[in-house]
Amino acid sequence: MTLAEKILQEAVAKGLTITTAESCTGGMVAAAITDIAGSSAIFERGFVTYSNLAKQDMLAVRMQTLESFGAVSEPVAQEMALGARNAAHADIAVAISGIAGPGGSEFKPEGRVCFATVTATDSFVETIEYGAPGRSEVRAAARDHALSLILNAIQAA
């Protein structure tokens, strides 16, 4: 059973809904969930907010947060998840913002990805440094990690 299949099974059993707010993964997490037949029972919408303007417009990420910390940061990921949860009226939201590559900087290197999950009673943020294995590898690893975070949030609910 895949992570997405487990998510569907456990979310349905608990009556929970899920949403996603994705930047560097460009909708890969939402696609993994909606690839599973029956996913409409738990997933109504997701958000791909690649630009800062999209993060502000669609997820209510504050300009001050973006300016203070940059798009690839835990505070922005947390605001993305909160904004997505509110906009989608979902029980659980996951957000991802990162630098898949190529590129990056001394301060925000290629392969840095920030994650956040938000529920009615809890929030969690973390940053993972994947290094520079390549754009598709970083994106796939971020997708899989986000799916595991969703499953953890469901199991904790």
Side-chain angles (χ1 to χ4, degrees):
M1 180 178 288
T2 67
L3 272 173
E5 289 168 333
K6 281 183 170 182
I7 286 168
L8 177 60
Q9 182 181 57
E10 294 194 26
V12 166
K14 290 189 174 186
L16 299 172
T17 57
I18 297 157
T19 190
T20 58
E22 301 180 64
S23 187
C24 67
T25 49
M28 292 171 70
V29 178
I33 294 169
T34 59
D35 276 349
I36 309 301
S39 59
S40 61
I42 65 161
F43 191 90
E44 181 182 305
R45 68 185 97 173
F47 304 88
V48 176
T49 55
Y50 212 63
S51 72
N52 287 351
L53 182 58
K55 289 172 180 64
Q56 292 173 279
D57 287 350
M58 296 174 72
L59 303 175
V61 173
R62 295 174 298 153
M63 170 76 81
Q64 179 182 0
T65 307
L66 288 161
E67 288 175 350
S68 296
F69 301 99
V72 179
S73 65
E74 291 180 0
V76 166
Q78 186 165 21
E79 286 188 20
M80 288 172 65
L82 182 60
R85 185 176 176 276
N86 291 338
H89 310 288
D91 297 303
I92 298 168
V94 67
I96 306 166
S97 187
I99 302 170
S105 71
E106 175 185 349
F107 302 105
K108 296 212 176 172
E110 179 177 335
R112 176 174 293 172
V113 183
C114 299
F115 299 88
T117 53
V118 173
T119 68
T121 58
D122 197 23
S123 69
F124 173 79
V125 294
E126 73 176 327
T127 300
I128 295 180
E129 304 284 351
Y130 291 105
R135 184 175 181 79
S136 32
E137 290 82 358
V138 170
R139 294 175 80 221
R143 174 202 59 213
D144 294 346
H145 187 67
L147 289 168
S148 70
L149 290 175
I150 293 168
L151 186 59
N152 291 345
I154 292 167
Q155 291 170 341

